[in-house]
Amino acid sequence: MRILILLLVLVTPSMTHAGILAAARTLPAGTVLTAADLRAADSDRPGISDPSQIIGLQTRITIYEGRPLQASLLQAPKLIARNQIVQVTFQRGPLRIVTEARTLSDGAAGDLVRVMNLESRSTISATVQPDGSLLALN
């Protein structure tokens, strides 16, 4: 005669993160996040719980409604786009030269991008400034 002892253990998932932020609507790639784009959700995946960490960031890919937001899905907003005509400033001491150039890639604040000077057709590197302007490297 065999006796089976069945032990029932109730387990509550301790890995569930209450208050994880998720997309309140489908967010196309390139969307700059606002408070209206976020909602609280429960998830067993790691995610971001503080809205101040992600408001103002831009989505790298399309994020569907209800998907938990993760840092890998977001980036600093792009201030300049590839093939955009921009003003580039070169400054050394009192000398300041401003010229037009075409960007060869997208760029966010602080990024180093390559641009083509429209007058000389030479390619130079410039840093994207927080206001979207470009500062040529010395």
Side-chain angles (χ1 to χ4, degrees):
M1 176 174 183
R2 285 187 154 166
I3 300 176
L4 282 177
I5 300 175
L6 182 59
L7 180 61
L8 180 62
V9 179
L10 295 175
V11 178
T12 58
S14 61
M15 294 301 291
T16 299
H17 300 284
I20 296 298
L21 294 173
R25 62 181 181 87
T26 298
L27 304 169
T31 301
V32 177
L33 295 177
T34 64
D37 297 324
L38 310 174
R39 70 176 172 130
D42 290 332
S43 174
D44 58 354
R45 291 204 258 173
I48 299 167
S49 59
D50 182 7
S52 67
Q53 292 179 338
I54 60 173
I55 290 177
L57 294 181
Q58 186 175 39
T59 58
R60 290 183 188 271
I61 61 170
T62 298
I63 301 173
Y64 294 99
E65 183 177 348
R67 181 173 181 183
L69 296 171
Q70 300 169 333
S72 62
L73 303 175
L74 307 172
Q75 65 189 1
K78 299 295 181 186
L79 299 176
I80 59 166
R82 184 172 189 262
N83 287 328
Q84 181 178 344
I85 304 298
V86 294
Q87 296 280 320
V88 178
T89 303
F90 175 86
Q91 188 158 357
R92 182 176 290 168
L95 176 66
R96 182 171 194 243
I97 302 170
V98 179
T99 188
E100 285 191 335
R102 179 179 304 276
T103 58
L104 302 177
S105 63
D106 296 339
D111 286 351
L112 185 64
V113 295
R114 305 282 292 161
V115 296
M116 182 179 64
N117 182 325
L118 294 178
E119 291 182 27
S120 68
R121 300 285 185 208
S122 62
T123 303
I124 60 172
S125 296
T127 304
V128 180
Q129 302 301 299
D131 64 357
S133 63
L134 294 175
L135 184 61
L137 298 180
N138 293 335

